[in-house]
Amino acid sequence: MSDTKEIQFGVTGMTCSACASRIEKVLNRMDGVEQADVNLAMEKAAVTYRGDEVDAGQIKERVEKLGYGLRMEKLELDIEGMTCSACSSRIQKVLSRTEGVNEASINLATEAGVVEYDPSEVTVDDIIARVKKLGYGAAVKRDREEQKEKKEEEIQQKKRRLWISALLSLPLLYTMAGHLPFGLAFYVPELFMNPWFQFLLATPVQFYIGAPFYKGAWRALSNQSANMDVLVALGTSAAYFYSVVEMIRWMGAPDGRPDLYFETSAVLITLILVGKLIEALAKGRTTAALSHLLNLQAKEAVVVRDGKEENIPVEQVQVGDELIVKPGGKIPVDGTIRAGVTAVDESMITGESIPVEKMEGEAVIGSTINKNGTIRMTAERVGRDTALSGIVRIVEEAQGSKAPIQRTADRISGIFVPIVVGIALLTFFLWLVFVSPGEWAPALEAAIAVLVIACPCALGLATPTSIMVGTGKGAEQGILYKGGEYLEGTHNLTTVLLDKTGTLTKGKPEITNFESFDDRLDVLRLAASAESASEHPLAEAVVEYAENEGVSLAEPDRFEAVPGYGVIADIEGHHVMIGTRKLMEREQLDYETYESKMADYEQEGKTAMFIAVDGVLAGIMAVADTVKESSREAVADLKKLGLDVYMVTGDNRRTAEAIAQEVGIHGVFAEVLPEEKAEKVKELQQEGHKVAMVGDGINDAPSLAVADIGVAIGTGSDVAIETADITLVGGDLVHLSQAVSLSRKTMRNIRQNLFWALAYNSAGIPVAALGLLAPWVAGAAMAFSSVSVVTNALQLKRVKL
């Protein structure tokens, strides 16, 4: 069996979708690579490969050979415990040999270290753990905002280059005023019209500011491909070198004015830089949801060690540590309350605004806010294992994945550039031969305009930016899509199949009716005392009900559980029996008077039990797995979206139909065994339905896997969550309709983006070919097309679900 592995890594140097397509194509041709996806907007590559045929190093090496860079991150560490150079050398050697670490440098004098690493192969926590394993202390020197700082640095660099380019291009732009027709021309100083002056201004713009375009074009052409850089380099070079030739010709015979297009090349480059800067600023906002999630993480924790409280960075919390969280403080990591009662605001994880009551023995989630009580807790999941880290990881992977619709756009982009170059050459030839015979200048202008207007940047950004914003918006609402394909697939759903227990219902029995024929509290006290010795879930419901009523319980003197019948106990001199009709019949107690009441409860899908004290019927109570408060609203919302809603359960038909009626579902599959749930999904699919299966238990995993979209309730089992395509973090079914709505709105947004991206190119090319578009106007339109696509994607941040 082949050893299938996955790797993700950052790629630098991509300028348009043609770059991403080129890397993708080359990697997919490698022996051992099963699937390679390259995301332009995220600047990431995700590769599935067979480890016995190729390794991660070879894959990355291939990307570098194509002329692109690999994004490495730097980690600065504070290191404790080093006493001599042998210590620092040892740490440096071990870290340097760690898989994923490119370079490590440890400084004994400053007690610090710098590690260059690939975040797709090794994490900060792994590096720190490696140092600690050697017996030294290690901690992150600063917050993990390196990527953010790097982006900000890139933006500052873009701004500097734009300012230089703009200052050099403005005088050239002004010379265009001298060419305006119909007497509209402005006064232009003679110096501005001097060929040498224009040459001196345009040359640094062309070769210093425009250097990245030449590098990108060379890289693409040397790998037998073409991208946006090729179009920009061709267009601006044609204008620049034509002007140089004209200038040299003019120097030989300095009469009149030569046809110079220095302003065309310089202004084009400047306008493209404007577009790239605005695009970079807008793209930074697409990952705002992820930044928001990361900012939610607690920075410090109060740990109890050797009986003393100590403030430590949250990165240093270990599994098993006892932590204290005071009112208003963030819960540092995932764990369980050991002592104390409080309410916890879990809205940043679940989207639910109402604080949740928590007491001893209950689980708490890291980064949620402790509202009103001091608690002691035990750390159970730390670092990358916490719920928030898991959410961040899922969102990152989803933002980096590709929706099927994006693959279509990528294929279009891949063949677009060579076609455009062909159209530009044809345009040049037609103008030179037929439109303006023998006149190079207008032919060149038309060809340059075609090259520039056709840059496919907008097409490459159309889908990934919407996917990034859509998945981020979902995460903020407590909806986790595990990939772009699931975000897209959700909009096609026609049918939703809901598991009953734990999905529509709370998954926990509760007393719904309690009626006594004697002193109510006394009967309840005896019944709950009898059930307190039982481990049956129904018994727990009785005890919990009594405790909520403020009833104190007594220890049974004798207790007997009678399987299939009920329980019998002696309490404080009273003989107590709780159970079914069969128990009453066995003990020869007359219950006929209350038979109709029993039948009514059972008709409602409840489990009813008689209570007898000292041989006389003393009461009747009904227990049921109650419906979640939000279930009826959730079902109604799904129906409003035009979806067919069914319920599937292993319960008997009477109970199932009672629950279904309560929540507004008409289609019911009852008495279905766990292994048969997947078959029900297949049956619906065979009828032509696109099915979403919603469940929370281990037994739902097979049906979640078979469904077109598997949806896990976040409060359910880990197996269900792992198998599902979408997770509703807070366990609220209302989020399902929001997930469908968000998917539909995201797909509409993507289609708008693709339409506008293709419309710009399709409409712009013939206009440019006809000579109706000056090259600098084409450059402005091309830049605007990319910005408009990213801006439109950002509209998703404001949609209401």
Side-chain angles (χ1 to χ4, degrees):
M1 188 175 173
S2 63
D3 179 22
T4 303
K5 296 181 178 179
E6 288 185 13
I7 184 175
Q8 288 190 20
F9 52 92
V11 180
T12 59
M14 295 188 293
T15 54
C16 71
S17 57
C19 299
S21 296
R22 176 64 184 160
I23 298 170
E24 222 171 69
K25 196 177 289 181
V26 170
L27 291 182
N28 279 317
R29 285 176 183 163
M30 283 184 75
D31 291 337
V33 171
E34 293 183 352
Q35 180 68 42
D37 293 318
V38 181
N39 187 299
L40 172 65
M42 288 284 286
E43 296 185 329
K44 271 188 178 179
V47 185
T48 304
Y49 64 99
R50 295 184 292 278
D52 52 352
E53 293 182 47
V54 68
D55 62 40
Q58 291 171 309
I59 292 168
K60 290 180 178 179
E61 190 178 333
R62 196 63 183 271
V63 173
E64 287 183 306
K65 277 186 178 176
L66 288 171
Y68 299 94
L70 300 176
R71 175 165 284 119
M72 306 296 281
E73 291 188 11
K74 282 188 177 177
L75 169 67
E76 292 186 18
L77 294 173
D78 287 325
I79 298 173
E80 297 172 359
M82 295 188 295
T83 54
C84 67
S85 58
C87 298
S88 56
S89 298
R90 173 72 180 148
I91 298 169
Q92 187 166 308
K93 193 177 289 183
V94 169
L95 287 180
S96 297
R97 289 176 179 170
T98 301
E99 189 173 348
V101 172
N102 187 47
E103 188 180 357
S105 174
I106 308 299
N107 190 311
L108 174 66
T110 58
E111 293 188 320
V114 178
V115 183
E116 191 179 74
Y117 70 103
D118 183 345
S120 66
E121 287 190 64
V122 65
T123 66
V124 172
D125 293 337
D126 294 335
I127 293 168
I128 290 173
R130 203 92 169 93
V131 177
K132 286 182 176 178
K133 199 173 180 182
L134 292 170
Y136 302 93
V140 179
K141 197 164 191 174
R142 60 184 179 190
D143 295 335
R144 298 184 202 178
E145 293 188 346
E146 213 164 333
Q147 194 173 6
K148 184 182 172 185
E149 288 170 11
K150 203 167 188 177
K151 284 288 179 191
E152 286 175 357
E153 191 181 318
E154 284 176 15
I155 286 170
Q156 289 306 317
Q157 190 180 28
K158 277 185 168 71
K159 285 180 179 176
R160 282 194 299 272
R161 295 176 74 84
L162 175 59
W163 275 111
I164 295 168
S165 188
L167 287 170
L168 292 171
S169 301
L170 274 172
L172 294 170
L173 180 64
Y174 189 68
T175 62
M176 297 170 78
H179 300 297
L180 291 174
F182 314 118
L184 296 174
F186 297 107
Y187 167 73
V188 179
E190 193 60 36
L191 174 66
F192 282 21
M193 304 303 291
N194 185 285
W196 280 104
F197 179 76
Q198 293 189 19
F199 172 77
L200 290 172
L201 290 176
T203 301
V205 175
Q206 187 69 35
F207 297 109
Y208 170 64
I209 302 297
F213 298 116
Y214 281 106
K215 287 176 186 172
W218 171 251
R219 189 167 54 214
L221 293 172
S222 62
N223 288 293
Q224 293 89 49
S225 68
N227 62 5
M228 183 204 86
D229 293 326
V230 172
L231 298 182
V232 174
L234 274 175
T236 59
S237 296
Y240 177 83
F241 286 110
Y242 176 81
S243 301
V244 170
V245 170
E246 278 289 294
M247 185 180 76
I248 293 169
R249 187 183 59 75
W250 171 79
M251 286 167 59
D255 293 328
R257 282 192 178 145
D259 287 327
L260 301 180
Y261 287 92
F262 285 124
E263 77 278 1
T264 298
S265 63
V267 170
L268 264 180
I269 288 171
T270 304
L271 284 169
I272 292 166
L273 291 182
V274 171
K276 287 287 180 188
L277 175 61
I278 297 171
E279 187 184 300
L281 292 168
K283 276 164 71 177
R285 288 169 58 204
T286 64
T287 54
L290 204 55
S291 301
H292 174 66
L293 285 173
L294 288 166
N295 290 337
L296 292 174
Q297 290 177 324
K299 302 292 185 287
E300 288 189 333
V302 180
V303 65
V304 179
R305 288 180 181 161
D306 301 323
K308 293 180 182 176
E309 293 182 18
E310 182 185 344
N311 270 334
I312 61 169
V314 75
E315 291 86 2
Q316 293 179 17
V317 175
Q318 297 175 0
V319 174
D321 276 348
E322 183 184 341
L323 307 174
I324 293 176
V325 189
K326 293 177 180 174
K330 281 188 178 179
I331 293 168
V333 296
D334 296 2
T336 302
I337 296 176
R338 287 180 58 180
V341 177
T342 188
V344 178
D345 179 357
E346 297 183 340
S347 58
M348 68 278 291
I349 299 288
T350 65
E352 293 301 320
S353 57
I354 301 170
V356 182
E357 296 292 330
K358 298 280 184 180
M359 57 188 67
E360 188 178 334
E362 291 195 301
V364 285
I365 304 170
S367 303
T368 55
I369 299 171
N370 180 29
K371 296 296 283 185
N372 57 13
T374 298
I375 56 170
R376 281 178 177 257
M377 62 173 284
T378 303
E380 291 177 350
R381 292 197 291 184
V382 302
R384 63 188 304 189
D385 296 324
T386 61
L388 183 63
S389 296
I391 290 169
V392 169
R393 196 158 51 246
I394 289 171
V395 175
E396 278 183 327
E397 287 172 6
Q399 290 188 336
S401 66
K402 284 193 177 181
I405 195 170
Q406 187 180 339
R407 299 185 195 283
T408 306
D410 288 348
R411 279 196 293 273
I412 295 169
S413 297
I415 59 170
F416 202 72
V417 175
I419 290 172
V420 168
V421 172
I423 293 172
L425 289 171
L426 181 63
T427 300
F428 180 77
F429 174 77
L430 292 173
W431 272 79
L432 192 63
V433 176
F434 298 106
V435 183
S436 301
E439 293 187 29
W440 287 70
L444 192 63
E445 268 199 39
I448 292 169
V450 169
L451 287 171
V452 174
I453 193 70
C455 284
C457 314
L459 192 61
L461 291 167
T463 303
T465 46
S466 295
I467 293 290
M468 288 163 70
V469 179
T471 49
K473 175 76 174 177
E476 288 177 349
Q477 301 294 317
I479 303 161
L480 297 185
Y481 300 93
K482 290 194 179 173
E485 62 267 41
Y486 308 122
L487 178 61
E488 178 177 343
T490 303
H491 94 287
N492 289 320
L493 292 174
T494 60
T495 304
V496 177
L497 188 58
L498 300 168
D499 176 53
K500 180 182 80 73
T501 308
T503 301
L504 285 166
T505 66
K506 294 176 182 175
K508 181 182 174 186
E510 292 181 357
I511 297 287
T512 57
N513 306 86
F514 185 91
E515 188 176 340
S516 62
F517 315 137
D518 205 333
D519 183 291
R520 185 179 186 278
L521 291 180
D522 195 43
V523 172
L524 178 57
R525 179 173 181 272
L526 290 171
S529 298
E531 294 284 17
S532 66
S534 172
E535 294 179 354
H536 196 282
L538 297 183
E540 291 177 14
V542 177
V543 172
E544 188 176 326
Y545 180 77
E547 287 174 348
N548 290 339
E549 292 282 312
V551 173
S552 58
L553 307 184
E555 190 76 27
D557 300 316
R558 184 181 74 86
F559 174 81
E560 179 189 1
V562 186
Y565 288 82
V567 299
I568 300 171
D570 291 334
I571 302 161
E572 297 177 342
H574 295 287
H575 186 63
V576 181
M577 292 183 293
I578 305 169
T580 62
R581 295 179 183 83
K582 288 194 291 183
L583 181 62
M584 300 301 115
E585 287 168 1
R586 195 186 82 166
E587 299 298 319
Q588 297 179 341
L589 289 179
D590 180 22
Y591 61 85
E592 291 298 327
T593 310
Y594 306 104
E595 169 59 34
S596 60
K597 179 74 71 175
M598 190 88 156
D600 288 344
Y601 288 146
E602 288 174 341
Q603 192 64 41
E604 293 169 13
K606 300 172 182 176
T607 300
M609 297 175 285
F610 286 116
I611 306 165
V613 179
D614 298 330
V616 178
L617 277 181
I620 185 172
M621 57 185 172
V623 180
D625 179 8
T626 55
V627 170
K628 290 179 181 176
E629 290 80 1
S630 60
S631 291
R632 187 170 185 85
E633 179 192 347
V635 170
D637 288 345
L638 290 169
K639 287 181 174 179
K640 280 180 192 170
L641 292 171
L643 297 168
D644 295 327
V645 185
Y646 294 84
M647 185 180 84
V648 62
T649 178
D651 277 358
N652 65 70
R653 180 156 294 278
R654 187 163 60 183
T655 302
E657 288 182 346
I659 296 289
Q661 189 176 356
E662 190 177 342
V663 297
I665 294 175
H666 301 297
V668 179
F669 299 115
E671 298 171 19
V672 177
L673 295 173
E675 58 271 22
E676 293 174 346
K677 286 184 180 179
E679 292 303 316
K680 292 298 177 188
V681 173
K682 288 178 184 175
E683 282 176 24
L684 288 168
Q685 288 172 328
Q686 285 163 5
E687 291 171 15
H689 297 274
K690 291 286 184 183
V691 182
M693 172 67 198
V694 189
D696 73 324
I698 293 172
N699 60 1
D700 296 318
S703 52
L704 291 173
V706 169
D708 295 285
I709 296 291
V711 183
I713 299 295
T715 49
S717 73
D718 290 342
V719 176
I721 292 168
E722 281 297 317
T723 310
D725 307 314
I726 299 174
T727 300
L728 308 180
V729 180
D732 192 339
L733 202 56
V734 169
H735 288 156
L736 179 56
S737 59
Q738 294 178 343
V740 175
S741 178
L742 179 58
S743 170
R744 291 179 179 179
K745 287 174 179 175
T746 303
M747 290 309 298
R748 186 163 65 242
N749 189 271
I750 288 172
R751 290 193 187 98
Q752 288 168 353
N753 284 349
L754 289 172
F755 170 78
W756 286 113
L758 288 167
Y760 270 116
N761 293 139
S762 303
I765 290 172
V767 172
L770 290 169
L772 301 174
L773 209 60
W776 71 272
V777 177
M782 186 272 285
F784 180 71
S785 70
S786 295
V787 174
S788 64
V789 160
V790 178
T791 305
N792 187 51
L794 288 169
Q795 300 300 315
L796 283 171
K797 288 166 73 78
R798 291 194 285 273
V799 300
K800 290 185 178 177
L801 302 177

